[in-house]
Amino acid sequence: MATYENNVDHDNLKRPDSALFLRSIRAALLRHKLWGSSWLFLLLLSAIPAMQVMGTVQKIVGNRYASADAARELHSTLSSPTVGMSEIFRQDHSATLSQMETSLSYGGAALALIALLFGCFAAGGWLQITFEQPDRQTLRRFAFGGGRYFGRFVRVAVMTMLLLALVRWAFYGDPWKRLVYGLILDVPKHDWGRLETLSSEGLYTNLIWLRDGLAAITFAKVLAWAIYVRTRLALRDSRSVIAAGIATYFTMLRHPIQTMRPLILLLIVEVLFVVVILGWWNGTVETRFYADANGWHVLAFLGIAQIAAIWRQVTRGAFYHAAGRVSQSLILPTDSQPDPWAKTIGGPGGPQYPIDDDADGYHVTV
């Protein structure tokens, strides 16, 4: 297995093509220790609010409801903003449910922050594995890379959130209203909120779809840019997040197809698997659940959710693997910025000597 994994992952000398996303998925799948440990951490993290909800519901439900009816009603309302079983149930236990929701909101914010920071850590781990390509102790190298780039990647995350906030303001705030509503469509300022002076309902619908579509595309571009910024920082072992961000912007501007194609294809695969396949499976189980609720259906819901979570960790690794291969082909080393991932020999802290690609593998260029 080690040799097979090694051969699949060592494709950095091959020019990225349309099949890169498949090789990236394959390389990420083979690193089962990495996505398995990431999934396990997030599973334990999500178990905290889940146990809190389960304990509260079990306390207030007790033996006063039939188990099947309680399971059906609870399942149908857990996805709603107000967690409860029915209007009467929520009214009878409003104080307890309100206390639980307040606790979940504060605790959920803290857990979301931990998950965000873990995402920065995991990004560093995947990039360390992508560029170093170790054959052994991959989990240790993953942890080393996560700690090595953690501070830089947290700064990238902060900058990304600021840019996403800017995108939201640009499309849903004054810039869009002044440019589109006021300058282009000549809508009176007092009607910018309701748009009742537009000539037709169809124009209103198309305008909303256009705004939401452009916002979604820009949102995705910012997230792709963040992936390549992290990749560039790891590839060149640089420190300046702002300089890497500016350089990445111009790289993506010069090579839009090469940079975006693998990420778009990976996103399509992820959506097809999670939304289409797992969504259909979940709908099938849900239909049987309402017909005859039992514990196996609950376990099936849990299993489907965990498969989706596992696939998300696999695609995270595939995204960084693809971005790493694209960056290696576009960002070539120079005399001032040599490749820190080149094959060398030499003690830590001492001189490093590159190894030539000769037949016996022992020739050293001094």
Side-chain angles (χ1 to χ4, degrees):
M1 173 62 75
T3 304
Y4 177 66
E5 178 181 343
N6 186 38
N7 291 335
V8 171
D9 199 29
H10 288 194
D11 63 350
N12 55 306
L13 298 179
K14 186 175 182 179
R15 183 177 180 84
D17 52 20
S18 57
L20 173 61
F21 78 103
L22 294 175
R23 298 197 301 273
S24 298
I25 293 175
R26 191 181 185 186
L29 277 172
L30 290 173
R31 303 291 190 181
H32 53 87
K33 292 182 181 179
L34 307 186
W35 56 257
S37 58
S38 299
W39 162 74
L40 183 59
F41 175 83
L42 294 177
L43 176 63
L44 296 177
L45 202 65
S46 63
I48 298 175
M51 295 297 292
Q52 183 179 356
V53 172
M54 186 178 70
T56 302
V57 172
Q58 186 177 11
K59 178 182 178 181
I60 60 181
V61 169
N63 297 321
R64 292 184 293 274
Y65 297 86
S67 58
D69 294 336
R72 290 191 190 95
E73 294 187 21
L74 182 61
H75 171 73
S76 64
T77 56
L78 275 177
S79 58
S80 63
T82 303
V83 178
M85 303 183 82
S86 66
E87 292 295 335
I88 297 176
F89 181 87
R90 289 195 295 268
Q91 185 176 359
D92 291 343
H93 305 282
S94 58
T96 304
L97 292 175
S98 177
Q99 182 179 4
M100 181 187 70
E101 291 171 2
T102 301
S103 177
L104 286 175
S105 62
Y106 287 108
L111 293 176
L113 177 60
I114 295 174
L116 174 65
L117 296 177
F118 177 75
C120 298
F121 178 86
W126 279 111
L127 287 171
Q128 179 75 26
I129 296 298
T130 296
F131 293 134
E132 185 182 356
Q133 303 172 3
D135 298 326
R136 297 180 299 114
Q137 299 181 339
T138 55
L139 192 58
R140 179 181 296 182
R141 302 309 299 169
F142 179 86
F144 171 77
R148 179 182 184 182
Y149 303 109
F150 182 74
R152 282 171 274 184
F153 285 6
V154 168
R155 297 200 298 271
V156 173
V158 172
M159 190 162 58
T160 303
M161 287 188 289
L162 292 176
L163 288 176
L164 292 177
L166 180 62
V167 169
R168 187 183 186 282
W169 173 73
F171 285 101
Y172 296 95
D174 282 346
W176 178 268
K177 294 177 181 178
R178 292 181 182 277
L179 176 63
V180 179
Y181 298 164
L183 185 62
I184 298 178
L185 298 177
D186 198 24
V187 176
K189 187 175 182 179
H190 64 83
D191 191 37
W192 285 358
R194 302 177 64 90
L195 298 178
E196 294 178 343
T197 57
L198 291 177
S199 58
S200 66
E201 185 71 22
L203 177 60
Y204 171 82
T205 302
N206 293 333
L207 189 61
I208 297 301
W209 275 96
L210 176 64
R211 182 194 63 186
D212 293 344
L214 291 175
I217 293 173
T218 309
F219 186 90
K221 289 282 288 185
V222 172
L223 294 182
W225 169 85
I227 290 175
Y228 278 107
V229 171
R230 297 187 186 101
T231 305
R232 191 184 194 101
L233 288 169
L235 179 62
R236 287 292 167 261
D237 197 20
S238 53
R239 296 284 177 178
S240 176
V241 172
I242 296 178
I246 295 173
T248 300
Y249 171 78
F250 286 107
T251 299
M252 296 179 68
L253 191 64
R254 291 194 302 268
H255 307 279
I257 296 178
Q258 285 183 271
T259 54
M260 293 302 298
R261 179 175 57 191
L263 302 189
I264 292 174
L265 292 175
L266 285 170
L267 178 61
I268 292 174
V269 171
E270 182 176 1
V271 170
L272 287 176
F273 183 78
V274 174
V275 178
V276 178
I277 299 177
L278 294 184
W280 169 82
W281 189 10
N282 186 83
T284 303
V285 175
E286 191 170 22
T287 301
R288 298 176 181 177
F289 177 80
Y290 282 112
D292 182 22
N294 58 59
W296 291 108
H297 292 138
V298 176
L299 291 177
F301 286 128
L302 177 62
I304 293 171
Q306 296 314 308
I307 291 174
I310 289 174
W311 185 248
R312 179 65 187 91
Q313 299 309 309
V314 172
T315 54
R316 184 205 296 270
F319 274 116
Y320 284 108
H321 182 275
R325 297 296 174 253
V326 171
S327 298
Q328 283 180 316
S329 68
L330 298 180
I331 307 172
L332 301 179
T334 61
D335 292 337
S336 59
Q337 289 185 321
D339 184 4
W341 301 98
K343 295 180 180 180
T344 59
I345 62 173
Q352 301 292 313
Y353 304 104
I355 302 176
D356 282 352
D357 293 328
D358 55 350
D360 55 18
Y362 291 100
H363 180 77
V364 177
T365 302
V366 180

